[in-house]
Amino acid sequence: RLFAFSRRGSKARLDEARHLAERPAELEAALWYHDAVYDPQAKDNEEQSARWAAADLTSARAPSDTIERIAGLTGAREDQTG
């Protein structure tokens, strides 16, 4: 997997659809945290990335509902999003 290429492609798609999101900044934060933890042997990369996002956002004193939404998006997998 090419991390930087994937991230740029996802960011470009986000920019194209930003106007459709209720909370575009939260969606972008989730994009940056998604696959922050990537171990090809692990089966819980998304969950680990979501925990990392939650820990960082908690340290930054983000509101708990914001943390929950971003961590939820960060941990979402393609097979869960339909």
CSV table of all heavy atoms in Angstrom, one decimal, residues 11-48:
chain,number,residue,atom,x,y,z
A,11,LYS,N,-7.9,12.7,0.1
A,11,LYS,CA,-8.0,14.1,0.4
A,11,LYS,C,-8.6,14.8,-0.8
A,11,LYS,O,-9.5,15.7,-0.7
A,11,LYS,CB,-6.7,14.7,0.7
A,11,LYS,CG,-6.7,16.2,0.9
A,11,LYS,CD,-7.3,16.6,2.3
A,11,LYS,CE,-7.0,18.0,2.6
A,11,LYS,NZ,-7.9,19.0,2.1
A,12,ALA,N,-8.2,14.4,-2.0
A,12,ALA,CA,-8.8,15.1,-3.3
A,12,ALA,C,-10.3,14.7,-3.4
A,12,ALA,O,-11.1,15.6,-3.7
A,12,ALA,CB,-8.1,14.6,-4.5
A,13,ARG,N,-10.7,13.5,-3.1
A,13,ARG,CA,-12.1,13.1,-3.1
A,13,ARG,C,-12.9,13.9,-2.0
A,13,ARG,O,-14.0,14.3,-2.2
A,13,ARG,CB,-12.3,11.6,-3.0
A,13,ARG,CG,-11.9,10.9,-4.3
A,13,ARG,CD,-12.4,9.5,-4.2
A,13,ARG,NE,-11.8,8.8,-3.1
A,13,ARG,CZ,-11.1,7.7,-3.2
A,13,ARG,NH1,-10.9,7.1,-4.3
A,13,ARG,NH2,-10.6,7.1,-2.1
A,14,LEU,N,-12.3,14.0,-0.8
A,14,LEU,CA,-12.9,14.8,0.2
A,14,LEU,C,-13.1,16.2,-0.2
A,14,LEU,O,-14.2,16.8,0.0
A,14,LEU,CB,-12.1,14.7,1.5
A,14,LEU,CG,-12.6,15.7,2.6
A,14,LEU,CD1,-13.9,15.2,3.1
A,14,LEU,CD2,-11.6,15.7,3.8
A,15,ASP,N,-12.1,16.8,-0.8
A,15,ASP,CA,-12.3,18.2,-1.2
A,15,ASP,C,-13.4,18.4,-2.2
A,15,ASP,O,-14.2,19.4,-2.2
A,15,ASP,CB,-11.0,18.7,-1.8
A,15,ASP,CG,-9.9,18.9,-0.8
A,15,ASP,OD1,-10.2,19.0,0.4
A,15,ASP,OD2,-8.7,19.0,-1.1
A,16,GLU,N,-13.6,17.4,-3.1
A,16,GLU,CA,-14.7,17.4,-4.1
A,16,GLU,C,-16.1,17.3,-3.5
A,16,GLU,O,-17.0,17.9,-4.0
A,16,GLU,CB,-14.5,16.3,-5.1
A,16,GLU,CG,-13.3,16.5,-6.0
A,16,GLU,CD,-13.1,15.2,-6.9
A,16,GLU,OE1,-13.9,14.2,-6.8
A,16,GLU,OE2,-12.0,15.2,-7.6
A,17,ALA,N,-16.1,16.6,-2.4
A,17,ALA,CA,-17.4,16.3,-1.7
A,17,ALA,C,-17.6,17.0,-0.4
A,17,ALA,O,-18.6,16.8,0.3
A,17,ALA,CB,-17.6,14.8,-1.5
A,18,ARG,N,-16.7,17.9,-0.1
A,18,ARG,CA,-16.7,18.6,1.2
A,18,ARG,C,-18.1,19.3,1.5
A,18,ARG,O,-18.6,19.2,2.6
A,18,ARG,CB,-15.6,19.6,1.3
A,18,ARG,CG,-15.5,20.4,2.6
A,18,ARG,CD,-14.4,21.4,2.5
A,18,ARG,NE,-13.1,20.7,2.5
A,18,ARG,CZ,-12.5,20.1,3.6
A,18,ARG,NH1,-13.0,20.2,4.7
A,18,ARG,NH2,-11.3,19.5,3.5
A,19,HIS,N,-18.7,19.8,0.5
A,19,HIS,CA,-20.0,20.5,0.6
A,19,HIS,C,-21.1,19.6,1.1
A,19,HIS,O,-22.1,20.1,1.5
A,19,HIS,CB,-20.3,21.3,-0.6
A,19,HIS,CG,-20.6,20.4,-1.8
A,19,HIS,ND1,-19.6,19.8,-2.5
A,19,HIS,CD2,-21.8,20.0,-2.3
A,19,HIS,CE1,-20.2,19.0,-3.5
A,19,HIS,NE2,-21.5,19.2,-3.4
A,20,LEU,N,-20.9,18.3,0.9
A,20,LEU,CA,-22.0,17.4,1.3
A,20,LEU,C,-21.9,16.9,2.7
A,20,LEU,O,-22.9,16.4,3.2
A,20,LEU,CB,-21.9,16.1,0.4
A,20,LEU,CG,-22.0,16.4,-1.1
A,20,LEU,CD1,-21.7,15.1,-1.9
A,20,LEU,CD2,-23.4,16.9,-1.4
A,21,ALA,N,-20.8,17.2,3.4
A,21,ALA,CA,-20.6,16.7,4.7
A,21,ALA,C,-21.2,17.6,5.7
A,21,ALA,O,-21.1,18.9,5.6
A,21,ALA,CB,-19.1,16.5,5.0
A,22,GLU,N,-21.8,17.1,6.8
A,22,GLU,CA,-22.3,17.9,7.9
A,22,GLU,C,-21.2,18.5,8.7
A,22,GLU,O,-21.3,19.7,9.1
A,22,GLU,CB,-23.2,17.1,8.8
A,22,GLU,CG,-24.5,16.7,8.2
A,22,GLU,CD,-25.4,16.0,9.2
A,22,GLU,OE1,-25.3,16.3,10.5
A,22,GLU,OE2,-26.1,15.1,8.8
A,23,ARG,N,-20.1,17.8,8.9
A,23,ARG,CA,-19.0,18.2,9.7
A,23,ARG,C,-17.7,17.9,8.9
A,23,ARG,O,-17.0,17.0,9.2
A,23,ARG,CB,-19.0,17.5,11.0
A,23,ARG,CG,-20.2,17.8,11.9
A,23,ARG,CD,-20.2,17.1,13.2
A,23,ARG,NE,-21.3,17.4,14.0
A,23,ARG,CZ,-22.5,16.8,14.0
A,23,ARG,NH1,-22.7,15.8,13.2
A,23,ARG,NH2,-23.4,17.2,14.8
A,24,PRO,N,-17.4,18.7,7.9
A,24,PRO,CA,-16.3,18.4,7.0
A,24,PRO,C,-14.9,18.4,7.8
A,24,PRO,O,-14.1,17.5,7.4
A,24,PRO,CB,-16.3,19.5,6.0
A,24,PRO,CG,-17.2,20.5,6.5
A,24,PRO,CD,-18.1,19.9,7.4
A,25,ALA,N,-14.7,19.2,8.8
A,25,ALA,CA,-13.5,19.2,9.5
A,25,ALA,C,-13.3,17.8,10.2
A,25,ALA,O,-12.2,17.3,10.3
A,25,ALA,CB,-13.4,20.3,10.5
A,26,GLU,N,-14.4,17.3,10.8
A,26,GLU,CA,-14.3,16.0,11.5
A,26,GLU,C,-14.0,14.9,10.5
A,26,GLU,O,-13.2,14.0,10.8
A,26,GLU,CB,-15.6,15.7,12.2
A,26,GLU,CG,-15.8,16.6,13.4
A,26,GLU,CD,-17.1,16.4,14.2
A,26,GLU,OE1,-17.7,15.3,13.9
A,26,GLU,OE2,-17.4,17.2,15.0
A,27,LEU,N,-14.6,14.9,9.3
A,27,LEU,CA,-14.4,13.9,8.3
A,27,LEU,C,-12.9,14.0,7.9
A,27,LEU,O,-12.3,12.9,7.7
A,27,LEU,CB,-15.3,14.2,7.1
A,27,LEU,CG,-15.3,13.1,6.0
A,27,LEU,CD1,-15.7,11.8,6.6
A,27,LEU,CD2,-16.3,13.5,4.9
A,28,GLU,N,-12.4,15.2,7.7
A,28,GLU,CA,-11.0,15.3,7.3
A,28,GLU,C,-10.0,14.8,8.4
A,28,GLU,O,-9.1,14.1,8.1
A,28,GLU,CB,-10.6,16.7,7.0
A,28,GLU,CG,-9.2,16.9,6.5
A,28,GLU,CD,-8.9,18.2,5.9
A,28,GLU,OE1,-9.8,19.1,5.8
A,28,GLU,OE2,-7.7,18.4,5.6
A,29,ALA,N,-10.4,15.1,9.7
A,29,ALA,CA,-9.5,14.5,10.8
A,29,ALA,C,-9.6,13.0,10.8
A,29,ALA,O,-8.5,12.3,10.9
A,29,ALA,CB,-10.1,15.0,12.1
A,30,ALA,N,-10.7,12.4,10.5
A,30,ALA,CA,-10.8,11.0,10.5
A,30,ALA,C,-10.0,10.4,9.3
A,30,ALA,O,-9.4,9.4,9.4
A,30,ALA,CB,-12.3,10.5,10.3
A,31,LEU,N,-10.0,11.1,8.2
A,31,LEU,CA,-9.2,10.7,7.1
A,31,LEU,C,-7.7,10.6,7.4
A,31,LEU,O,-7.0,9.7,7.1
A,31,LEU,CB,-9.4,11.6,5.9
A,31,LEU,CG,-8.5,11.5,4.7
A,31,LEU,CD1,-8.8,10.2,4.0
A,31,LEU,CD2,-8.7,12.6,3.7
A,32,TRP,N,-7.2,11.6,8.1
A,32,TRP,CA,-5.8,11.7,8.5
A,32,TRP,C,-5.5,10.6,9.5
A,32,TRP,O,-4.4,10.1,9.5
A,32,TRP,CB,-5.4,13.0,9.0
A,32,TRP,CG,-5.4,14.0,7.9
A,32,TRP,CD1,-6.2,15.0,7.6
A,32,TRP,CD2,-4.4,14.0,6.8
A,32,TRP,NE1,-5.9,15.7,6.5
A,32,TRP,CE2,-4.8,15.1,5.9
A,32,TRP,CE3,-3.3,13.3,6.5
A,32,TRP,CZ2,-4.1,15.4,4.8
A,32,TRP,CZ3,-2.6,13.6,5.4
A,32,TRP,CH2,-3.0,14.6,4.5
A,33,TYR,N,-6.4,10.2,10.4
A,33,TYR,CA,-6.1,9.2,11.4
A,33,TYR,C,-6.3,7.8,10.8
A,33,TYR,O,-5.7,6.8,11.3
A,33,TYR,CB,-7.0,9.4,12.6
A,33,TYR,CG,-6.4,10.4,13.6
A,33,TYR,CD1,-7.0,11.6,13.7
A,33,TYR,CD2,-5.3,10.1,14.4
A,33,TYR,CE1,-6.5,12.5,14.6
A,33,TYR,CE2,-4.8,11.0,15.3
A,33,TYR,CZ,-5.4,12.2,15.4
A,33,TYR,OH,-4.9,13.1,16.3
A,34,HIS,N,-7.2,7.6,9.8
A,34,HIS,CA,-7.5,6.3,9.3
A,34,HIS,C,-6.2,5.7,8.8
A,34,HIS,O,-5.4,6.3,8.0
A,34,HIS,CB,-8.5,6.4,8.2
A,34,HIS,CG,-8.9,5.1,7.7
A,34,HIS,ND1,-9.8,4.3,8.4
A,34,HIS,CD2,-8.6,4.4,6.6
A,34,HIS,CE1,-10.0,3.1,7.7
A,34,HIS,NE2,-9.3,3.2,6.6
A,35,ASP,N,-6.0,4.5,9.2
A,35,ASP,CA,-4.7,3.7,8.9
A,35,ASP,C,-3.5,4.4,9.4
A,35,ASP,O,-2.4,4.2,8.9
A,35,ASP,CB,-4.6,3.5,7.4
A,35,ASP,CG,-5.4,2.3,6.9
A,35,ASP,OD1,-5.9,1.5,7.8
A,35,ASP,OD2,-5.6,2.1,5.7
A,36,ALA,N,-3.6,5.2,10.4
A,36,ALA,CA,-2.4,5.8,11.1
A,36,ALA,C,-1.6,4.6,11.7
A,36,ALA,O,-0.4,4.7,11.7
A,36,ALA,CB,-2.8,6.7,12.2
A,37,VAL,N,-2.3,3.6,12.1
A,37,VAL,CA,-1.7,2.3,12.5
A,37,VAL,C,-1.9,1.3,11.4
A,37,VAL,O,-3.1,1.1,11.0
A,37,VAL,CB,-2.3,1.8,13.8
A,37,VAL,CG1,-1.7,0.4,14.2
A,37,VAL,CG2,-2.1,2.8,15.0
A,38,TYR,N,-0.8,0.9,10.8
A,38,TYR,CA,-1.0,-0.1,9.7
A,38,TYR,C,0.1,-1.2,9.8
A,38,TYR,O,1.2,-1.0,9.6
A,38,TYR,CB,-0.9,0.6,8.3
A,38,TYR,CG,-1.2,-0.4,7.2
A,38,TYR,CD1,-2.5,-0.9,7.0
A,38,TYR,CD2,-0.1,-0.9,6.4
A,38,TYR,CE1,-2.7,-1.9,6.0
A,38,TYR,CE2,-0.4,-1.9,5.5
A,38,TYR,CZ,-1.7,-2.3,5.3
A,38,TYR,OH,-1.9,-3.3,4.3
A,39,ASP,N,-0.4,-2.3,10.2
A,39,ASP,CA,0.5,-3.5,10.3
A,39,ASP,C,-0.2,-4.6,9.5
A,39,ASP,O,-1.3,-5.0,9.8
A,39,ASP,CB,0.5,-4.0,11.8
A,39,ASP,CG,1.3,-5.3,12.0
A,39,ASP,OD1,1.7,-5.9,11.0
A,39,ASP,OD2,1.4,-5.7,13.1
A,40,PRO,N,0.5,-5.0,8.4
A,40,PRO,CA,-0.2,-5.9,7.5
A,40,PRO,C,-0.6,-7.2,8.1
A,40,PRO,O,-1.4,-7.9,7.6
A,40,PRO,CB,0.9,-6.2,6.4
A,40,PRO,CG,1.9,-5.1,6.5
A,40,PRO,CD,1.8,-4.5,7.9
A,41,GLN,N,0.1,-7.6,9.2
A,41,GLN,CA,-0.3,-8.8,9.9
A,41,GLN,C,-1.4,-8.7,10.9
A,41,GLN,O,-2.0,-9.6,11.4
A,41,GLN,CB,1.0,-9.3,10.7
A,41,GLN,CG,2.2,-9.5,9.8
A,41,GLN,CD,1.9,-10.5,8.7
A,41,GLN,OE1,1.4,-11.6,8.9
A,41,GLN,NE2,2.4,-10.1,7.5
A,42,ALA,N,-1.8,-7.4,11.3
A,42,ALA,CA,-2.8,-7.2,12.3
A,42,ALA,C,-4.2,-7.2,11.7
A,42,ALA,O,-4.4,-6.8,10.5
A,42,ALA,CB,-2.5,-5.9,13.0
A,43,LYS,N,-5.2,-7.5,12.4
A,43,LYS,CA,-6.5,-7.5,12.0
A,43,LYS,C,-7.3,-6.4,12.6
A,43,LYS,O,-8.5,-6.2,12.4
A,43,LYS,CB,-7.2,-8.8,12.3
A,43,LYS,CG,-6.6,-10.0,11.6
A,43,LYS,CD,-7.4,-11.3,11.9
A,43,LYS,CE,-6.8,-12.5,11.3
A,43,LYS,NZ,-6.6,-12.5,9.9
A,44,ASP,N,-6.7,-5.6,13.4
A,44,ASP,CA,-7.4,-4.5,14.2
A,44,ASP,C,-6.7,-3.1,13.9
A,44,ASP,O,-6.8,-2.2,14.8
A,44,ASP,CB,-7.4,-4.8,15.6
A,44,ASP,CG,-6.0,-4.8,16.3
A,44,ASP,OD1,-5.0,-4.9,15.6
A,44,ASP,OD2,-6.0,-4.7,17.5
A,45,ASN,N,-6.2,-2.9,12.7
A,45,ASN,CA,-5.6,-1.6,12.4
A,45,ASN,C,-6.5,-0.4,12.6
A,45,ASN,O,-6.2,0.6,13.1
A,45,ASN,CB,-5.0,-1.6,11.0
A,45,ASN,CG,-3.8,-2.5,10.8
A,45,ASN,OD1,-2.9,-2.5,11.7
A,45,ASN,ND2,-3.8,-3.3,9.8
A,46,GLU,N,-7.8,-0.6,12.1
A,46,GLU,CA,-8.7,0.5,12.1
A,46,GLU,C,-9.1,0.8,13.6
A,46,GLU,O,-9.1,2.0,14.0
A,46,GLU,CB,-10.0,0.1,11.4
A,46,GLU,CG,-9.9,0.1,9.9
A,46,GLU,CD,-9.4,-1.3,9.4
A,46,GLU,OE1,-9.2,-2.2,10.2
A,46,GLU,OE2,-9.2,-1.4,8.2
A,47,GLU,N,-9.2,-0.2,14.4
A,47,GLU,CA,-9.5,0.0,15.8
A,47,GLU,C,-8.4,0.7,16.5
A,47,GLU,O,-8.6,1.6,17.4
A,47,GLU,CB,-9.9,-1.3,16.5
A,47,GLU,CG,-11.2,-1.9,16.0
A,47,GLU,CD,-11.1,-2.7,14.7
A,47,GLU,OE1,-10.0,-2.9,14.2
A,47,GLU,OE2,-12.1,-3.2,14.3
A,48,GLN,N,-7.2,0.3,16.2
A,48,GLN,CA,-6.0,0.9,16.8
A,48,GLN,C,-5.9,2.4,16.4
A,48,GLN,O,-5.6,3.2,17.2
A,48,GLN,CB,-4.7,0.1,16.5
A,48,GLN,CG,-4.6,-1.2,17.2
A,48,GLN,CD,-3.2,-1.8,16.9
A,48,GLN,OE1,-2.2,-1.2,17.1
A,48,GLN,NE2,-3.2,-3.0,16.4
